[in-house]
Amino acid sequence: QEKKQTFLFKVYLYFVVIFTLYILILCFNSTIVCLIWTHKNLHEPMYIFIAALLINSVLYSMTIYPKLLSDVLSEKQIISYPLCLFQGFLYYTSAGSEFLLLAAMAYDRYVSICKPLQYAVIMNRITIYVCLVLAWIIPAFETAVPVVLYSNVKLCSFTLTGIFCNNSGYKLQCVQSVAISIYGVVMLINIALLPMLFILFTYIRIVRISYQSCREVRKKAVKTCLPHLLVLINFSCFIVFDVVIIRLESDLSKTLRLILTFQSILFHPLLNPIIYGLKMNEIFKSLKILFCHVTVAG
């Protein structure tokens, strides 16, 4: 009886902790998105892309946390194969969108710093809308192909090694498909590697031009580009874990694998609003005004 009570206490504790973190992720991201939406001085391409990135973080979290919370309270962690494929589809679509949105933000910073006189012409509303639509549509279409292929594959195993349906699902196949593996590599190049190379190229160009310019330009480059680079490094590390370590079937302990997985689903969506909220001056000012109003009202 005592062991059962201890077990139930741990289960409810885990549930409360995960649920609290989920609510924090939703609140942090939604607060900054609402600030950008309601403040006209934040209706600029850079902030619109930040809002899109934070909305993407919310979608990313909503893909994982509801099922995870349900699993914590369940005796057996079960998911149907179609629902597992759908979760994987949403997870990799949002991950691909992250890279493309960061690439769009890098291009916006490049035009702003390197071609300031042409900024208003190049980064017009049509350009912004096209970037946003493509950032979500391209990963969705590319991710849909392996999902369709996986739906027709024969399974010989029904136990996932992770806490949600991700890249480890390919181990469930009786015979690993060469076509799916090759397509997976092509997809990884298209929605992760190429955007990352584009981002690095634009930031190298920004650094070179900033170094040759006055102090004000260098200061502007550091203030606006540093948050994007922090988010890119943070997210890239998690993608490396998800793709490389799982695919290579690295002999990680169950505890270490669980810790790394939790980092990818917790730190990334929680750090994004913190990084942008603290590092972007206009957003930080709006947050201070909001908290002052809340304090006065209280």
Side-chain angles (χ1 to χ4, degrees):
Q1 185 69 25
E2 188 177 336
K3 285 184 179 180
K4 187 178 180 182
Q5 287 180 345
T6 305
F7 174 75
L8 287 174
F9 173 76
K10 285 181 179 179
V11 167
Y12 290 127
L13 179 63
Y14 292 152
F15 179 85
V16 169
V17 169
I18 295 169
F19 182 73
T20 303
L21 293 170
Y22 181 46
I23 295 300
L24 286 175
I25 289 168
L26 295 180
C27 289
F28 284 7
N29 285 280
S30 300
T31 300
I32 295 181
V33 170
C34 288
L35 281 176
I36 293 170
W37 180 269
T38 54
H39 288 67
K40 288 186 177 180
N41 64 312
L42 298 178
H43 291 182
E44 296 178 12
M46 178 175 67
Y47 299 112
I48 292 170
F49 287 131
I50 289 172
L53 198 72
L54 298 181
I55 290 169
N56 198 62
S57 292
V58 170
L59 296 174
Y60 176 87
S61 301
M62 290 175 71
T63 300
I64 297 166
Y65 277 90
K67 180 65 175 70
L68 181 61
L69 288 166
S70 172
D71 287 342
V72 169
L73 295 178
S74 304
E75 289 186 15
K76 290 184 178 181
Q77 290 72 44
I78 299 170
I79 185 169
S80 67
Y81 188 56
L83 191 59
C84 184
L85 289 175
F86 184 64
Q87 187 182 49
F89 167 76
L90 294 177
Y91 173 71
Y92 285 110
T93 297
S94 60
S97 297
E98 188 91 10
F99 277 111
L100 293 177
L101 287 169
L102 287 170
M105 292 165 78
Y107 180 67
D108 172 71
R109 292 299 83 211
Y110 169 75
V111 176
S112 174
I113 294 166
C114 303
K115 299 180 179 182
L117 298 178
Q118 301 173 46
Y119 182 75
V121 176
I122 296 173
M123 296 306 297
N124 54 46
R125 283 185 176 274
I126 295 173
T127 304
I128 295 166
Y129 292 150
V130 168
C131 288
L132 291 175
V133 170
L134 290 178
W136 275 303
I137 284 181
I138 291 173
F141 275 108
E142 294 215 4
T143 309
V145 174
V147 168
V148 172
L149 294 174
Y150 271 124
S151 64
N152 297 316
V153 167
K154 187 180 178 183
L155 304 179
C156 285
S157 175
F158 298 92
T159 305
L160 283 169
T161 54
I163 58 174
F164 63 96
C165 298
N166 61 357
N167 204 27
S168 59
Y170 88 105
K171 295 178 184 176
L172 304 178
Q173 304 169 39
C174 296
V175 179
Q176 291 174 17
S177 171
V178 176
I180 293 176
S181 297
I182 292 171
Y183 183 84
V185 173
V186 172
M187 189 176 78
L188 180 65
I189 292 169
N190 285 344
I191 63 176
L193 186 59
L194 289 179
M196 194 184 296
L197 290 174
F198 176 77
I199 292 165
L200 293 175
F201 171 76
T202 54
Y203 283 133
I204 289 168
R205 290 281 296 165
I206 289 170
V207 169
R208 282 183 61 188
I209 291 171
S210 300
Y211 183 75
Q212 296 166 1
S213 303
C214 63
R215 188 179 175 184
E216 283 300 315
V217 174
R218 288 198 293 270
K219 195 175 178 182
K220 180 184 177 183
V222 171
K223 276 188 176 181
T224 58
C225 295
L226 184 60
H228 304 331
L229 283 172
L230 289 174
V231 171
L232 176 66
I233 293 165
N234 173 39
F235 191 65
S236 298
C237 291
F238 300 140
I239 290 299
V240 167
F241 161 71
D242 183 83
V243 175
V244 177
I245 295 178
I246 293 175
R247 276 285 178 177
L248 293 178
E249 299 186 36
S250 181
D251 294 328
L252 292 174
S253 67
K254 191 175 180 180
T255 305
L256 182 58
R257 188 184 290 272
L258 196 64
I259 290 169
L260 289 171
T261 304
F262 263 113
Q263 282 184 333
S264 68
I265 66 171
L266 169 62
F267 289 152
H268 169 63
L270 198 57
L271 280 178
N272 275 6
I274 293 172
I275 289 170
Y276 288 119
L278 296 177
K279 291 292 182 182
M280 305 300 286
N281 282 344
E282 291 300 320
I283 294 176
F284 185 64
K285 286 177 188 175
S286 299
L287 280 171
K288 281 178 72 176
I289 293 167
L290 176 66
F291 287 131
C292 286
H293 285 167
V294 170
T295 304
V296 171

